[in-house]
Amino acid sequence: MPGMAPDSPEIPDLRKWRLPRGRHGLPRELIARSQRERLLAAVVRTTAANGCEATTVADILEEAGVGRESFYELFEDRQDCMLSAHRVLTDDLAERVEAAYLGEGAWAERLRAALDAALRWFAADPAAARFVLIDLAPLGTPFRARFHDEFRRFLSLLGEGPEGPPRAQAPRAGILALSAAVAGIHEEVAHGRTERLPEKLPQLLYEVLVPFLGEAGAQRERQRAEAG
Amino acid sequence: MSIPAKEKQAAAPGGSVLAPKTPPDVGARSQRRRIIESMLERCAEKTYAHTTIGDIVSGARISRSTFYKRFADKRACFEATVEHCLEDLTRTAREAQEPGRPPAERLRAAIAAVLARMAERPAIGKLLSADAVALDPTVTDRYRRLVGPVVERLWFEGARPRDAGSDPGLALGRARLLIFDLIAAGRASELPRLLPELTYLTLLPYAGHEEALREADAAARSLERGAVAGAGDGAR
């Protein structure tokens, strides 16, 4: 994947994570950690296949090849496992987006890199994309709280825009910009067009930038993004 | 939730016990209404996924067989509830506008009234922004088909919309998200504070950034003047 930071050892990439089953002679602590990662990867795949409500602990265990006892040593219940996987995925997303945003260049360029990183992250694995944005909604309040936390995290990551604090009064540019990125991604994922997300970069960049830069500035950046 | 055996039987296809005890159909509308209200409240409490027919009928104080006379299943009842909420908000928006006032003012009044309504009855906002989307992530397309033409008619009064660069299709998804985010934080009472942002989003695709911004600023001023109901120290 071009433009992606190498995998951090702290944050497993659940989208690729696989551990061979059976004996592997790892120390106990490592086994527990790998079991956790295996379960987190399994819950994403199982939820994608069955939907949230139909996914049982037994399904997750079977997919992960992990025993029930180990599961309950690591997670309180099914919901805890699901929300933990959600957290690991969004941590990974945030890390990649932040790495891109804190790179070189003018603010608009860094924003483009960050948006590009996000679009590619979602496009790389439609199951993970659905898991993060859509699949866990039936959990109700706990998922909403999770979603809200992430919304705030990305809002503070976006920061204050090109020239320090933006307009003091409403409408708030940051929240408008973030809503464009998230709603734009949600829209494509909901319609099963996740893999084509990177193509949306010019239009979404425009939508994200308009509240900060106005029509002309955002249009200019869109054209630059179209040119590559 | 225990269901009397008699009702279970009545709900079964071709239940012959049904006929003699069925009340005259005069109460059908109010029964339907009670069921929908019950569904709305149960979904707000525990989400659609965790709401059972038993929850709905006990909330509506009707029997299970009555439920199945009005609705084919839980999903059909939910669809009717979505429809009910959309009608509620559409009516709210319509009644808030004073005919003859300038389009910007009418639009602002409509958005403010819808936000106030959802703050007053959070179950409506919750159902439309959370449960309905959980069940069908593409449901915003439907909202868009409802809201888009109304805004265009109001704002342009029949004139052809100017082609601004922003996607009108996206605007409604963004508005939905901002409403969902406040509801997710358990701060539905602050929904009226979204008036400037929603005004901006509504106008941006048609009127462009500058005009949308002017109207959003006007909306912010009307909020400050307290012309719009809703407490809270900002939705930040």
Side-chain angles (χ1 to χ4, degrees):
Chain A
M1 188 64 51
M4 269 201 179
D7 292 343
S8 151
E10 293 306 312
I11 301 170
D13 187 348
L14 295 187
R15 299 165 305 168
K16 300 192 196 96
W17 214 91
R18 292 279 197 292
L19 188 80
R21 297 184 186 194
R23 295 177 156 276
H24 25 61
L26 297 170
R28 191 178 161 72
E29 202 176 300
L30 258 180
I31 292 173
R33 198 179 125 180
S34 74
Q35 280 181 333
R36 181 180 146 84
E37 290 172 9
R38 199 151 66 184
L39 286 163
L40 292 175
V43 75
V44 177
R45 290 195 295 271
T46 313
T47 306
N50 303 350
C52 177
E53 284 309 285
T55 294
T56 63
V57 171
D59 295 332
I60 302 167
L61 298 180
E62 198 191 327
E63 174 73 23
V66 170
R68 189 167 286 268
E69 209 170 300
S70 310
F71 179 91
Y72 285 105
E73 275 169 24
L74 292 160
F75 302 105
E76 274 174 42
D77 52 18
R78 183 187 79 118
Q79 176 175 298
D80 181 31
C81 180
M82 286 175 164
L83 293 175
S84 301
H86 193 276
R87 175 99 217 190
V88 170
L89 283 170
T90 48
D91 282 350
D92 184 45
L93 170 65
E95 185 169 279
R96 283 155 199 263
V97 168
E98 189 167 14
Y101 192 47
L102 299 181
E104 296 287 305
W107 179 79
E109 279 170 39
R110 296 192 286 113
L111 191 67
R112 180 175 77 187
L115 183 60
D116 188 46
L119 297 178
R120 288 178 186 282
W121 187 92
F122 281 102
D125 187 343
R130 274 196 69 98
F131 190 85
V132 165
L133 290 172
I134 292 171
D135 286 346
L136 297 189
L139 295 181
T141 310
F143 172 70
R144 289 176 207 156
R146 190 83 269 289
F147 192 93
H148 176 72
D149 287 349
E150 291 303 330
F151 199 75
R152 296 294 122 171
R153 172 190 351 209
F154 282 91
L155 195 58
S156 71
L157 204 148
L158 177 63
E160 294 180 329
E163 288 150 10
R167 308 159 44 75
Q169 66 192 127
R172 294 157 286 155
I175 208 170
L176 288 169
L178 185 64
S179 78
V182 180
I185 293 169
H186 187 281
E187 178 92 1
E188 299 305 300
V189 174
H191 285 88
R193 300 189 296 253
T194 311
E195 276 132 330
R196 288 167 51 199
L197 270 170
E199 296 167 23
K200 299 283 286 184
L201 179 66
Q203 177 65 21
L204 282 182
L205 182 66
Y206 171 83
E207 302 279 6
V208 166
L209 287 175
V210 169
F212 286 111
L213 305 182
E215 298 274 357
Q219 192 62 43
R220 201 166 50 239
E221 294 301 326
R222 165 157 58 188
Q223 281 157 4
R224 290 177 63 177
E226 273 164 0
Chain B
M1 200 68 46
S2 75
I3 302 106
K6 191 176 65 180
E7 286 171 23
K8 265 188 195 158
Q9 232 179 340
S16 58
V17 285
L18 205 87
K21 288 193 173 178
T22 304
D25 207 39
V26 285
R29 193 173 292 190
S30 92
Q31 277 176 348
R32 199 182 138 83
R33 175 67 185 249
R34 285 220 305 274
I35 295 169
I36 284 173
E37 289 291 335
S38 177
M39 172 66 109
L40 183 56
E41 287 308 317
R42 300 296 86 71
C43 284
E45 280 163 26
K46 53 202 290 192
T47 75
Y48 172 80
H50 296 121
T51 295
T52 64
I53 301 285
D55 297 331
I56 301 165
V57 302
S58 77
R61 299 188 312 281
I62 50 137
S63 69
R64 192 170 279 256
S65 66
T66 302
F67 177 88
Y68 283 110
K69 265 188 274 171
R70 303 290 162 238
F71 297 103
D73 54 20
K74 184 177 133 184
R75 180 67 190 256
C77 177
F78 183 79
E79 290 302 323
T81 310
V82 169
E83 203 55 49
H84 171 77
C85 291
L86 290 174
E87 278 165 19
D88 184 306
L89 295 185
T90 308
R91 192 173 52 246
T92 302
R94 200 172 47 235
E95 287 170 0
Q97 301 170 38
E98 275 183 61
R101 304 298 301 171
E105 199 180 301
R106 293 173 64 187
L107 196 71
R108 185 163 72 232
I111 297 171
V114 166
L115 289 171
R117 176 71 181 138
M118 286 193 285
E120 164 199 81
R121 188 92 200 266
I124 294 177
K126 227 179 217 182
L127 189 105
L128 293 178
S129 80
D131 270 314
V133 181
L135 217 52
D136 173 11
T138 65
V139 74
T140 37
D141 294 346
R142 184 166 152 201
Y143 303 164
R144 193 170 293 141
R145 285 193 296 272
L146 189 71
V147 175
V150 177
V151 173
E152 283 180 33
R153 233 181 0 258
L154 185 61
W155 188 247
F156 298 102
E157 294 175 322
R160 191 181 151 72
R162 176 170 101 72
D163 187 21
S166 186
D167 175 10
L170 189 62
L172 210 118
R174 295 166 79 177
R176 196 282 299 180
L177 192 72
L178 295 183
I179 291 167
F180 175 76
D181 181 57
L182 265 188
I183 285 174
R187 285 156 50 192
S189 65
E190 293 171 31
L191 283 169
R193 313 278 323 168
L194 285 178
L195 181 63
E197 284 77 23
L198 261 53
T199 301
Y200 179 87
L201 287 175
T202 305
L203 286 178
L204 179 65
Y206 303 115
H209 172 75
E210 292 301 326
E211 197 161 356
L213 200 58
R214 267 199 303 280
E215 292 303 332
D217 280 340
R221 285 195 302 275
S222 83
L223 261 185
E224 277 162 25
R225 285 198 311 271
V228 177
D233 52 342
R236 204 171 281 267

